Amino acid sequence: MTTIRRLGAAVAIVLAMVAAGTGCTVIPVTGPYTVGDDGTGGDPLNKPFQRMIAMPPQPNWGPEDTIKGLQAAMAAYADDPSILPQYLTPEARAKWSATGPVKVIEDAFEITYPTPRDGTETVLQVTLKAQWVASIGTDDAYAPTAGAWDGGTFELVKTQQGGYLVNKLPAGLLLTNSDVVRAYRPANLYYMNADMPERLVVDRVRLRMKPTESFARTILERLLKEPTAALRDAVTTSFPEGTTIESIRWNEERVLVNLSGPLDPLDLSAEAALRAQIRHSFADNDVAKGRIIEIQVDGETYAVDRPDPADPWLDDGGDTAYFVDNGAVHFMGKEGPAGAVPGAAGEQRAGYTDFALSKEETALIAAKTSTGISLTKLAQDGRWQEVIQGTELTPPTFHRDGSLWTYDNKNGVLLRYDPASGRGPERVSAPKLAGLDVARLRIARDGVRVSVTTGENTVQIGALTSTPEGLVLGNFRSLTTTEVGDEIVDVTWSDDEHLLVLVESKAGQILNEINVGDGETVGVPLKDRLVSLAALDDRVLGEVKTDKETKIVELNPDRQTWVPKVESNAGSPLFPLG
């Protein structure tokens, strides 16, 4: 067995010489050097990276060197596809394809030989074993993957000139984690909610850097394509089919994007949405740097977009914090309690739990009871009214359109109640939830993504998609699963791309913030034992409950410590939506 570590960390320097057997070198790449155009090396519209230069197989290489060189050629394949075929026999070249998901493994991998070797073999079976890191789909979605990867079986044949060629190998590209860190960048793309096109929805991808173009162009080229499978049929775009990029140029104050295609300058709503998609896709990836963005069509000005602090495209539905005291809902001010809300919701009442808030402009609040879910207005004349009946309902959650949602475990159906219509709840198709024990369901503030906790230890992410038959909750994929015996205590959206997951483990509580786009997980330190959470962007509130007290604590901006917010008789922190 041979253990190989090829480029164990991201390369930080230029390798001026290539040692025999390494099969690669790395040079820094910042794009072409046309000042003010798509690839200016030092401009913030670019993301410098290091380009892999692979070597052809050498006559003096053994099996390990050949496998190392082949893997390096895979890492360089997108920039130079001519080297990798040189490692393959004619038979392998005819069968192998680079298409399909990219497999990402740890930098250290093992090469084993199934049978004892005496050095005279002309055909050699080699197995490559490594730890999975992730896969990158054909839609550029990055999916973390745990466990061992042992699907790497290679057949090597000795050549008459010496050295080896690969006769059989797994399909697709195999990259190490360092390859991905070096050549790929995470990027947020913005599309429009298909049912509420005034709201943008973020889509997280991994984009491969290209030495021939700026990162700004790489982002925009990808934005012209379909979203990842996670958001397929849930979002739409303002770019008409046939739109292409002619050029991207800039100076210190302005980015000039010249497009070509059937863009209608008289369609003001499409023009506003297109500006928003470009603005946020550039800003989130740190390539526009606060510049004015001028959009042209065939050289003629189409729109000019300036940074707007009051940007409506990512509206969260309100930022007021609330809490519950003995069944009565209270406002939370900067310094603590600020009084009860008006109407029935502000009155103490037993038996009402799991409160949820709509957008502030809609001013609705819902709560779960022993017989169903009740609803009231946050107004002086507000009165509680049971709108969904059931004894096995999940806690209510509001959609940004004002509708109220829950899952009925007894009947295995997803229910939606529209207060504007006043009619009884309607069923929404969610075939992937059939037969599952749904513990909680929460709709994100973007009105598209939905987190679903099943059983005690699994969180899935789905999306509300539009079909000719109506809304469907689908596009499910697993986000996290805890260890057996651990229990998920609470789950809440902090923003459109991050979910906070509170877990009770054997060793104590764990709070993780997980990016639902690529699974990136950051632990949040805890001091007190929490029983519930609420979050909005950088604000995170937690409910602490002991035998002596119930209080609200807030996570400091340093995200390391918690401070008391409401000292006593306070639980169930709330923000609108989420």
Side-chain angles (χ1 to χ4, degrees), residues 26 69 81 111 116 134 217 231 255 257 261 265 283 297 303 325 359 375 406 443 463-464 501 505-506 562:
V26 179
I111 292 179
R217 188 181 185 105
L231 292 178
V255 178
V257 178
V297 177
D325 177 6
K359 290 176 64 175
L375 183 70
T406 184
I443 302 173
L464 292 170
V501 180
S505 74
K506 301 178 184 69
W562 298 76

Side-chain angles (χ1 to χ4, degrees), residues 316-473:
D316 287 326
D319 58 5
T320 304
Y322 300 79
F323 68 92
V324 180
D325 177 6
N326 291 315
V329 181
H330 290 250
F331 296 103
M332 189 183 296
K334 291 183 178 180
E335 305 302 324
V341 300
E347 300 169 0
Q348 292 189 359
R349 186 181 299 261
Y352 281 61
T353 63
D354 299 303
F355 292 82
L357 284 159
S358 71
K359 290 176 64 175
E360 284 187 338
E361 64 188 61
T362 314
L364 296 173
I365 189 164
K368 186 179 175 183
T369 70
S370 60
T371 59
I373 291 175
S374 293
L375 183 70
T376 184
K377 297 185 295 182
L378 289 182
Q380 201 62 48
D381 61 346
R383 295 292 179 266
W384 286 109
Q385 176 187 2
E386 188 170 83
V387 294
I388 303 177
Q389 295 181 344
T391 58
E392 298 182 28
L393 304 177
T394 60
T397 182
F398 276 99
H399 190 281
R400 64 182 300 109
D401 67 2
S403 59
L404 180 66
W405 295 62
T406 184
Y407 191 82
D408 182 351
N409 278 289
K410 183 176 182 179
N411 297 299
V413 293
L414 178 61
L415 300 176
R416 175 186 184 271
Y417 173 76
D418 183 4
S421 70
R423 295 191 296 270
E426 61 177 331
R427 296 187 176 191
V428 177
S429 177
K432 294 297 184 180
L433 297 183
L436 298 181
D437 174 21
V438 180
R440 62 182 63 81
L441 180 147
R442 287 197 169 183
I443 302 173
R445 294 180 177 94
D446 60 21
V448 167
R449 286 191 172 92
V450 180
S451 72
V452 178
T453 307
T454 55
E456 294 184 343
N457 64 348
T458 299
V459 178
Q460 298 183 68
I461 300 297
L464 292 170
T465 62
S466 296
T467 71
E469 292 75 31
L471 279 178
V472 174
L473 177 54

Side-chain angles (χ1 to χ4, degrees), residues 140-260:
D140 302 309
Y142 183 93
T145 307
W149 180 77
D150 57 2
T153 300
F154 300 79
E155 182 178 276
L156 275 60
V157 295
K158 202 159 191 175
T159 67
Q160 293 180 350
Q161 295 77 22
Y164 290 86
L165 291 179
V166 179
N167 193 47
K168 293 181 182 178
L169 72 165
L173 294 173
L174 179 68
L175 305 187
T176 67
N177 193 47
S178 290
D179 294 330
V180 173
V181 170
R182 171 188 55 78
Y184 286 76
R185 296 292 180 271
N188 285 345
L189 308 176
Y190 282 86
Y191 297 87
M192 296 178 296
N193 183 321
D195 287 326
M196 306 183 73
E198 75 281 359
R199 182 54 157 81
L200 293 179
V201 180
V202 63
D203 195 14
R204 183 81 160 175
V205 295
R206 280 290 199 283
L207 298 181
R208 199 181 196 288
M209 306 294 286
K210 301 177 182 178
T212 56
E213 68 182 35
S214 68
F215 193 46
R217 188 181 185 105
T218 301
I219 290 168
L220 197 52
E221 291 278 10
R222 180 59 184 82
L223 188 61
L224 292 176
K225 300 176 183 177
E226 287 186 321
T228 63
L231 292 178
R232 200 69 45 81
D233 298 324
V235 297
T236 186
T237 182
S238 60
F239 292 90
E241 186 175 354
T243 302
T244 58
I245 303 169
E246 295 297 317
S247 65
I248 299 178
R249 294 177 288 130
W250 57 82
N251 56 31
E252 292 183 357
E253 298 180 352
R254 183 174 297 245
V255 178
L256 184 62
V257 178
N258 186 22
L259 304 175
S260 179

Side-chain angles (χ1 to χ4, degrees), residues 44-56:
L45 269 70
N46 284 282
K47 298 281 185 181
F49 72 106
Q50 291 160 334
R51 179 182 176 188
M52 182 73 73
I53 303 297
M55 289 179 61

Side-chain angles (χ1 to χ4, degrees), residues 91-171:
E91 179 184 352
R93 284 199 297 271
K95 294 181 178 180
W96 184 82
S97 172
T99 59
V102 174
K103 297 176 284 289
V104 186
I105 59 173
E106 289 285 3
D107 296 340
F109 50 83
E110 296 177 346
I111 292 179
T112 61
Y113 306 91
T115 57
R117 298 173 56 205
D118 60 12
T120 64
E121 298 89 353
T122 57
V123 178
L124 193 61
Q125 302 296 327
V126 172
T127 300
L128 189 154
K129 294 184 179 181
Q131 288 296 310
W132 264 111
V133 174
S135 64
I136 303 175
T138 55
D139 60 354
D140 302 309
Y142 183 93
T145 307
W149 180 77
D150 57 2
T153 300
F154 300 79
E155 182 178 276
L156 275 60
V157 295
K158 202 159 191 175
T159 67
Q160 293 180 350
Q161 295 77 22
Y164 290 86
L165 291 179
V166 179
N167 193 47
K168 293 181 182 178
L169 72 165

